[in-house]
Amino acid sequence: MLGLGIESSCDDTGIAIVDGEHRVLVSEVASQIDCHRVFGGVVPEIAAREHLQILLPLYKKTLEKASISIENIDYIAVTAGPGLVGSLLVGVSFAKGLALATGKPLIPVDHVHGHVHSVFLDVSWREEDRFPALALVVSGGHTNLYWMRTPLDFTLLASTIDDACGESFDKVAKMVGLEYPGGAKIESWAKRGNPKTYPMPVMMKDRSQLQFSYSGLKTHVVYLLQRLQQTHGTRLPDEVIADVCASFQEEALGQLIRKTQLAVGKYPGAKSLLVAGGVAASTRLRERLAQEISIPAFFPSRANCMDNAAMIACYGGALFRNQGVEAFGALDWDVYSRYRPQMGQGA
Ligand code: KG4
Ligand code: ZN
């Protein structure tokens, strides 16, 4: 079985072809970072226009690279939400046109659930060994913790009540003068810094609450930088920036560790932890999870932590196999009404 995935929920345009064994034949991602960098973050209108320009050429390039005709594709999977509405509309409209023209089933996919399935792209997987599982998706837009009885059964246990974890990395990076997107740059500066230099507030201390919060930590860094600038001047010395990055990173990741430990305690049946999304690329997060979490953690490759269409095709394929072709004939759904995750009972 071959599936075509289409991803356009934020600032990466992705097209990929995967087979029924989660093998990636081709996965193309066109990044828009250069268009948004000058603004220090993603500009939704620019993102939608860029998707519009790149989608068709990227689709043709992907099929050519895979030496596959659209006739050989069994299903089309597209990100239907959550994400920037203008960006989603471009990908979904393209996918609907393709489905209409070819008669292929179209599978609408939840982007955040798709991130979880990115783990299956890179890990040899035996479901019975790994489920039930906990899943942590940490990206620029989401900080979600799920209980999963099976790969298709998502119960949202917790999410952020304000900023997402990756968003706080991007905002702190901008404040210390590092370019967007800032997560990886904070991590590399943090390697040269001492995480104990600047004590950070411990957010969401309540040991019974799984919810996340990052805006207080970000605000703390705003005031810390103001104080440091009074001492050092507006251009902070490199050692100071490195110490701020290390101190911030340790607490930002520390909150993920504490809440995951709490979830592992609340859900003792969990056999594994699946970790995905851009922040899962962090080497420091991987180290800390390995040391501080009592169940085995699985991650995608660093490239597949970022937004891509292979994860969408992979998850779409699992839905298609589970629900059958009849479930995916209709095209009368839209990006406004679908895939708003609901809080589960476990929060
Ligand atoms: O999954 P992704 O590509 O896009 C969203 O769906 O948001 O994640 C991008 C996010 C950005 O916020 C970026 O700063 C963050 O992932 N990120 C990191 C690291 N690498 C990327 N955050 C912390 N440490 C990293 N090494
Ligand atoms: Zn994402």
Side-chain angles (χ1 to χ4, degrees):
M1 190 166 76
L2 288 178
L4 180 86
I6 301 171
E7 159 62 36
S8 72
S9 65
C10 189
D11 61 340
D12 290 308
T13 319
I15 307 269
I17 298 171
V18 302
D19 72 9
E21 306 293 315
H22 312 157
R23 278 187 295 250
V24 181
L25 277 69
V26 177
S27 177
E28 289 291 314
V29 178
S31 165
Q32 300 179 3
I33 284 176
D34 290 342
C35 307
H36 301 286
R37 185 171 280 136
V38 58
F39 302 100
V42 178
V43 182
E45 177 66 23
I46 295 177
R49 286 168 188 247
E50 287 292 315
H51 287 305
L52 203 51
Q53 286 200 342
I54 197 75
L55 209 40
L56 186 56
L58 199 68
Y59 164 76
K60 287 182 177 163
K61 183 178 167 190
T62 307
L63 288 182
E64 254 171 50
K65 261 194 164 178
S67 306
I68 279 172
S69 142
I70 188 68
E71 298 313 317
N72 305 120
I73 296 287
D74 297 291
Y75 66 90
I76 301 163
V78 63
T79 299
L84 302 172
V85 169
S87 293
L88 289 166
L89 277 171
V90 175
V92 167
S93 303
F94 181 85
K96 283 187 179 180
L98 198 58
L100 266 178
T102 59
K104 307 282 175 190
L106 179 63
I107 295 129
V109 164
D110 179 305
H111 175 81
V112 190
H113 295 181
H115 268 296
V116 174
H117 279 246
S118 68
V119 176
F120 307 144
L121 294 173
D122 301 302
V123 173
S124 112
W125 202 257
R126 276 166 54 93
E127 187 180 323
E128 58 277 24
D129 297 342
R130 307 294 182 210
F131 283 85
L134 287 162
L136 178 66
V137 181
V138 215
S139 69
H142 308 280
T143 314
N144 287 4
L145 193 54
Y146 297 96
W147 168 248
M148 297 179 71
R149 267 177 294 150
T150 70
L152 294 181
D153 181 55
F154 287 83
T155 302
L156 182 64
L157 302 178
S159 54
T160 175
I161 59 167
D162 40 53
D163 290 353
C165 180
E167 183 182 356
S168 74
F169 271 86
D170 295 335
K171 288 179 174 169
V172 168
K174 191 174 175 183
M175 288 189 271
V176 297
L178 304 176
E179 278 187 337
Y180 175 83
K185 292 182 188 88
I186 295 234
E187 181 169 29
S188 89
W189 276 77
K191 285 191 188 126
R192 287 181 277 147
N194 176 357
K196 298 210 166 77
T197 312
Y198 302 112
M200 293 282 149
V202 176
M203 306 305 298
M204 304 304 272
K205 266 192 205 149
D206 183 346
R207 291 289 302 166
S208 65
Q209 279 290 326
L210 284 171
Q211 298 291 77
F212 301 91
S213 166
Y214 280 94
S215 76
L217 184 59
K218 169 198 68 189
T219 307
H220 178 85
V221 177
V222 171
Y223 291 121
L224 171 66
L225 290 172
Q226 284 174 4
R227 284 200 306 280
L228 290 169
Q229 281 170 344
Q230 280 164 9
T231 316
H232 299 280
T234 42
R235 172 98 184 73
L236 293 176
D238 284 358
E239 319 80 79
V240 174
I241 294 178
D243 287 341
V244 171
C245 288
S247 304
F248 160 77
Q249 176 179 263
E250 215 52 13
E251 174 47 31
L253 301 182
Q255 188 184 150
L256 297 177
I257 304 286
R258 286 194 303 278
K259 296 300 171 186
T260 306
Q261 283 170 334
L262 182 59
V264 171
K266 282 190 172 200
Y267 293 84
K271 291 185 186 166
S272 62
L273 172 69
L274 316 180
V275 192
V279 183
S282 163
T283 305
R284 183 68 188 133
L285 177 63
R286 291 173 183 227
E287 274 169 15
R288 287 196 62 179
L289 285 170
Q291 287 161 6
E292 299 175 50
I293 300 293
S294 57
I295 55 175
F298 295 92
F299 305 85
S301 68
R302 284 185 170 73
N304 283 333
C305 287
M306 309 305 160
D307 287 348
N308 66 82
M311 67 189 195
I312 301 303
C314 179
Y315 180 42
L319 290 168
F320 185 52
R321 281 191 294 277
N322 183 262
Q323 295 177 34
V325 67
E326 304 75 31
F328 298 107
L331 299 178
D332 58 347
W333 50 270
D334 62 73
V335 300
Y336 297 97
S337 52
R338 286 187 80 112
Y339 299 106
R340 297 221 178 94
Q342 297 299 307
M343 196 59 81
Q345 296 305 307

